[in-house]
Amino acid sequence: MITNILIPTDYSEASFNALETAIVIAKRNNAAIQIVHIDDTAYTAEETYPIKNATQIGHAIADNIKQRHGIETTVFFKEGFIGPTIAKLALEMKPDLVVMGAYGASGHRDYFIGSNSYYTIKHACCPVLIVPEGKRWQDFNKVLFPIRPTLGGFKKYQYISDLVIKIYPDCNFELLGISIDRKDQDVKQVSEIADEMKSTWKNAVQYAVSYSFGKNIAEEVLDKADKTAPDMLVISSTVDVANKQFFIGPFSQRIINHARMPVLCVFRTPDN
């Protein structure tokens, strides 16, 4: 159950876009929204200035969400380094999901995914949904979900698929089985994982399975995303060969950096 969503904002177009997505998810789950604006002007070497009337803007946004959507909404104002502050707030508030713009909470100052988004994904105690600019993302009909047979992988995949269904109950999964050097064995295991996951879904979720046998997992996933145009891409630590707990390796980073659709990043689950 998604009951609490944390949304960092710098009042940029990217963060407002993420907020719109979070509102839709909150309404579907009767969840509360917690907005946080972080002033990092005293913590960066760049010449930046605090946003004028940031407090008034934040309260106005929260009031508007309450009035228009009937969602319980609170707003917080903090000072500090943005990434660590978000991760600390997530630990304290225990949200079920963090939703943030593709360029994180520092807007144009970040390159690609941005240091703040990267830090949040790596250190937050819950899944993080990264929402790109340029389009309103509200319906997630088609979800691309790369899976790779690993020890204990099924339990994580089951948790992730259940989370996706809570975000959008009418989704359909495109399961992309990843194999690097154990083609026949991995195909068999991916098929078994898909069947077992399907048996746990209570609603009529549909899925299809395809396979990738290339050495560069990131390029294979991005190529698949370009061809199938999913509404959401899901990644976890199992995408990277090292498969270390909480590990965000080069494959994951490249996928997040270059995906043209929202990316749900799940590097921690309730069991770890």
Side-chain angles (χ1 to χ4, degrees):
M1 186 74 177
I2 298 175
T3 60
N4 188 15
I5 302 173
L6 177 63
I7 308 156
T9 181
D10 61 357
Y11 307 137
S12 66
E13 180 182 349
S15 62
F16 280 127
N17 201 35
L19 178 60
E20 290 293 329
T21 298
I23 288 171
V24 173
I25 297 172
K27 290 176 73 172
R28 290 191 184 117
N29 290 272
N30 195 27
I33 284 177
Q34 294 178 318
I35 300 171
V36 59
H37 175 75
I38 303 167
D39 180 3
D40 70 336
T41 52
Y43 297 82
T44 177
E46 299 179 33
E47 186 176 351
T48 58
Y49 302 92
I51 296 175
K52 292 183 179 180
N53 303 318
T55 302
Q56 292 91 324
I57 294 172
H59 284 299
I61 292 171
D63 290 341
N64 181 265
I65 294 172
K66 292 176 188 176
Q67 293 172 9
R68 288 182 56 201
H69 303 286
I71 298 172
E72 180 184 344
T73 307
T74 52
V75 59
F76 300 87
F77 304 93
K78 301 289 183 179
E79 293 184 1
F81 293 106
I82 292 175
T85 302
I86 296 172
K88 182 180 178 182
L89 283 171
L91 188 62
E92 294 171 353
M93 297 177 177
K94 295 180 171 50
D96 302 293
L97 182 67
V98 173
V99 180
M100 59 193 303
Y103 290 90
S106 61
H108 65 279
R109 293 204 300 271
D110 280 341
Y111 176 70
F112 282 130
I113 182 179
S115 58
N116 296 325
S117 299
Y118 176 83
Y119 191 99
T120 303
I121 293 167
K122 185 176 181 180
H123 295 282
C125 56
C126 64
V128 179
L129 179 62
I130 302 294
V131 182
E133 293 179 292
K135 178 181 176 181
R136 294 294 174 90
W137 300 90
Q138 298 185 352
D139 298 329
F140 301 102
N141 296 293
K142 186 188 298 184
V143 179
L144 179 59
F145 188 175
I147 60 176
R148 187 167 67 89
T150 59
L151 184 64
F154 169 72
K155 196 169 185 179
K156 174 173 281 190
Y157 295 142
Q158 184 181 23
Y159 167 79
I160 295 172
S161 67
D162 288 346
L163 176 63
V164 173
I165 292 169
K166 290 169 186 172
I167 291 174
Y168 194 74
D170 297 323
C171 66
N172 295 305
F173 287 104
E174 173 75 29
L175 303 177
L176 178 62
I178 296 172
S179 177
I180 296 178
D181 52 15
R182 304 185 309 163
K183 182 174 180 179
D184 293 337
Q185 182 179 352
D186 284 346
V187 167
K188 181 176 182 294
Q189 290 182 338
V190 167
S191 179
E192 291 173 350
I193 290 172
D195 289 341
E196 195 167 355
M197 287 170 61
K198 174 63 177 177
S199 70
T200 67
W201 298 334
K202 296 180 181 179
N203 51 356
V205 174
Q206 300 298 314
Y207 76 94
V209 183
S210 57
Y211 296 92
S212 165
F213 303 108
K215 294 290 185 181
N216 191 323
I217 295 175
E219 293 306 319
E220 295 282 334
V221 171
L222 290 170
D223 182 62
K224 184 70 174 181
D226 285 342
K227 290 178 179 177
T228 60
D231 304 301
M232 179 190 292
L233 175 57
V234 179
I235 63 167
S236 67
S237 57
T238 57
V239 168
D240 285 286
V241 177
N243 192 30
K244 296 178 181 177
Q245 193 178 34
F246 317 145
F247 178 74
I248 304 180
F251 291 149
S252 296
Q253 290 184 52
R254 181 162 179 78
I255 291 168
I256 299 168
N257 283 343
H258 294 280
R260 297 187 176 96
M261 67 290 300
V263 181
L264 178 63
C265 309
V266 186
F267 291 88
R268 280 174 167 79
T269 66
D271 296 321
N272 56 38

